[in-house]
Amino acid sequence: MRIAVTYKDGEVFQHFGHSEQFKLYDTEGEKITGEQIVDTNESGHGALAGFLQATRVDALICKGIGFAAWCAVEKLHPEVKIWETMTPYFEKRNIHFYVNRCRFYIVEFFNKYHPDPEDSDAGNELDNQFPDGMFRFEKIVK
């Protein structure tokens, strides 16, 4: 799996559409097998979405991706019929964004009493990192 992180000056960069670099991580299972910093040579949501597709990125970690970027990613992957994402309980802006802007539905709420059945270690991780729990969202594309 290849994971891209918006990157600038050694930190996660806050603005997807203006990212001049990504840090790419190649993984096998739970191990990182390689990492590199790559220049995008372009900016704008559509150009960066194309860049991620061309570099065969499987997952993106960023903050504040925005509605235009989300639409560009969806447009690049018309084969995806169900999109899924998660956000912590306390991130009210994210919840609003996914539900009201992107038209996701809240389908599950994970917490110490209801851990993710797909992740056997999630209960302990959630308690430590997100003690109030995580929402899971889905968007079904017709």
Side-chain angles (χ1 to χ4, degrees):
M1 175 180 237
R2 176 168 275 181
I3 302 168
V5 179
T6 53
Y7 192 77
K8 183 175 183 178
D9 299 326
E11 295 183 5
V12 175
F13 185 56
Q14 303 274 341
H15 302 284
F16 175 81
H18 299 285
S19 293
E20 295 176 4
Q21 294 182 319
F22 284 100
K23 189 164 187 177
L24 302 179
Y25 295 91
D26 292 309
T27 65
E28 288 182 26
E30 294 182 12
K31 290 189 171 213
I32 295 174
T33 58
E35 61 183 75
Q36 60 182 314
I37 298 169
V38 294
D39 292 326
T40 63
N41 298 320
E42 296 187 53
S43 65
H45 297 110
L48 293 176
F51 174 84
L52 294 172
Q53 184 178 33
T55 53
R56 301 187 186 280
V57 168
D58 299 300
L60 171 65
I61 298 173
C62 67
K63 185 173 182 177
I65 190 168
F67 187 67
W70 181 257
C71 291
V73 169
E74 278 190 15
K75 190 175 180 179
L76 280 173
H77 295 283
E79 76 281 3
V80 175
K81 301 302 176 201
I82 299 177
W83 291 93
E84 180 181 334
T85 191
M86 293 177 71
T87 199
Y89 172 82
F90 63 84
E91 290 289 355
K92 291 175 180 49
R93 287 183 61 207
N94 288 359
I95 296 165
H96 166 77
F97 174 76
Y98 290 124
V99 172
N100 297 321
R101 289 285 286 153
C102 298
R103 302 295 181 216
F104 277 78
Y105 290 92
I106 298 171
V107 294
E108 206 154 15
F109 179 65
F110 298 119
N111 57 47
K112 64 182 174 184
Y113 304 108
H114 179 70
D116 184 350
E118 302 292 321
D119 188 350
S120 60
D121 293 331
N124 295 332
E125 189 175 312
L126 276 176
D127 287 349
N128 296 333
Q129 191 172 2
F130 305 109
D132 294 327
M134 295 279 288
F135 283 106
R136 185 173 72 86
F137 303 88
E138 281 185 0
K139 179 178 181 178
I140 300 173
V141 181
K142 296 178 182 181

